[in-house]
Amino acid sequence: MTEPRLNALGQPIGPPVAGAFPVPMPPRDTMTGRYVALEPADPEAHAADLFAAYRDDREGRGWTYMPYGPFDEESAFAAWMAETCLGPDPMFFAARVDGQAVGLASYLRIAPQPATIEVGHIHLAPALKGTRAATEAMALMMDRAFGLGYRRYEWKCDALNAASRAAALRLGFAFEGIHRQVTHYKGRNRDTAWFSILDGEWPGVKAGFDAWLDDGNFDASGRQTRSLAACREAARG
């Protein structure tokens, strides 16, 4: 273990931090990958597609851990988007695949001075879940944040949301613990599970994404040859 630095008083202090702060706010413009485009959320452009795509979730499981929804009418969903999805924080993006909007995600709790940022409000329609496009969407958002100089990229979810916790670990986040009674929604308590990726970890995480998303990692049926975790471990050496 590396010995901590000491100040003139003999007290341990953290390692030095280089860079110019505050870092920039993320731009509200499109992020384009091979399989998905993340467009600034726009009710006129995206509400109809998203409402239809979310309706494929017949039981409404995707809404259970959201503090809003489900929506029974497209007009109500579009109104929610107009009220919630057009500001700078949270900064929402719609995932478009093959011409259709099939999911939402946002940056939030954007803090340029300490250079921390969170990804959240992730709601993928059934058509997007488990696809290369879904993984690439998360990689694109991480890449933009770290490219702007953010030092810490966070993922938080209801501690009871097993699917979200598993997704965070698959994507390369480190579990940091549970904060109790952080908030409440839909008449129930929420303990929050915290995850993060740090800037020093990002090159290895990014190399794992690049290897996993490569066409050579998928067979003729579209099945992965190596898992994302395996690609990440191989990239780290």
Side-chain angles (χ1 to χ4, degrees), residues 185-210:
Y185 65 114
K186 295 181 176 176
R188 62 182 189 257
N189 176 65
R190 172 172 145 163
D191 296 345
T192 295
W194 285 54
F195 301 81
S196 71
I197 297 173
L198 304 183
D199 54 353
E201 299 163 344
W202 170 238
V205 174
K206 183 180 188 304
F209 280 127
D210 291 343

Side-chain angles (χ1 to χ4, degrees), residues 34-35 132 134-143 146 153 155 167-173 197 201-215 217-218 226-233 235-236:
R34 297 171 62 187
Y35 308 109
R132 276 180 267 188
T135 295
E136 185 181 51
M138 294 294 98
L140 287 170
M141 293 185 73
M142 290 184 204
D143 192 52
F146 286 116
Y153 192 82
W155 175 299
L169 294 174
R170 174 183 176 270
L171 292 169
F173 287 83
I197 297 173
E201 299 163 344
W202 170 238
V205 174
K206 183 180 188 304
F209 280 127
D210 291 343
W212 188 85
L213 289 165
D214 187 84
D215 285 341
N217 190 46
F218 294 87
R226 295 187 297 168
S227 69
L228 182 54
C231 289
R232 191 163 53 245
E233 287 304 312
R236 288 171 175 163

Side-chain angles (χ1 to χ4, degrees), residues 31-91:
M31 293 170 267
T32 304
R34 297 171 62 187
Y35 308 109
V36 65
L38 293 171
E39 303 172 350
D42 177 355
E44 292 188 10
H46 302 127
D49 277 359
L50 288 168
F51 182 76
Y54 289 145
R55 296 285 279 185
D56 289 339
D57 173 16
R58 303 297 184 188
E59 296 179 315
R61 288 177 176 268
W63 297 104
T64 298
Y65 299 106
M66 295 291 180
Y68 41 76
F71 299 92
D72 293 328
E73 302 292 337
E74 182 182 322
S75 59
F77 178 69
W80 171 82
M81 282 194 70
E83 181 178 353
T84 308
C85 299
L86 301 180
D89 189 352
M91 182 183 293

